[in-house]
């Protein structure tokens, strides 16, 4: 005799499969759009309390400077590796 199906487990499995199908669409366009939006929100300090103007502006400046510094270091490293040290 077969055991009864676990409806909660089945619903969860279907939800996971649907999410995987959406995230793996051709070209990964949804993934790129989602990550670009997350990056924009992070650099724009969307998670900071907007009522404190100084904290909001300071967070934006710090995150943007950190991003620019990271890109600069990556470019320097690539240049260093290409030239052979």
């Amino acid at each position: 005799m077969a055991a009864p199906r676990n409806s909660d487990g089945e619903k969860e499995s279907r939800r996971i499969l649907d999410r995987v199908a959406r995230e793996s669409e051709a070209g990964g366009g949804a993934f790129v759009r989602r990550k670009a939006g997350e990056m924009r929100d992070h650099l724009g300090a969307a998670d900071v309390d907007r009522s404190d103007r100084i904290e909001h502006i300071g967070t934006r400046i710090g995150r943007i400077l950190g991003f620019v510094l990271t890109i600069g270091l990556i470019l320097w490293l690539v240049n260093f590796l290409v030239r052979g040290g």
Side-chain angles (χ1 to χ4, degrees), residues 39-56:
M39 177 70 117
R40 183 183 61 246
D41 290 344
H42 180 72
L43 291 178
D47 59 333
V48 177
D49 182 21
R50 290 189 179 262
S51 64
D52 187 355
R53 185 174 164 90
I54 299 300
E55 180 183 1
H56 184 254

Side-chain angles (χ1 to χ4, degrees), residues 10-75:
E10 187 175 329
K11 287 178 185 177
E12 179 70 12
S13 297
R14 289 189 190 282
R15 186 186 65 77
I16 291 170
L17 289 173
D18 289 341
R19 182 175 177 193
V20 168
R22 274 184 278 131
E23 289 179 356
S24 62
E25 75 179 26
F31 176 77
V32 172
R33 281 191 301 273
R34 187 174 64 249
K35 290 302 173 186
E38 289 175 9
M39 177 70 117
R40 183 183 61 246
D41 290 344
H42 180 72
L43 291 178
D47 59 333
V48 177
D49 182 21
R50 290 189 179 262
S51 64
D52 187 355
R53 185 174 164 90
I54 299 300
E55 180 183 1
H56 184 254
I57 292 172
T59 302
R60 287 180 69 183
I61 290 171
R63 289 180 180 177
I64 290 170
L65 285 175
F67 178 72
V68 169
L69 180 63
T70 301
I71 297 299
L73 285 172
I74 290 171
L75 292 174

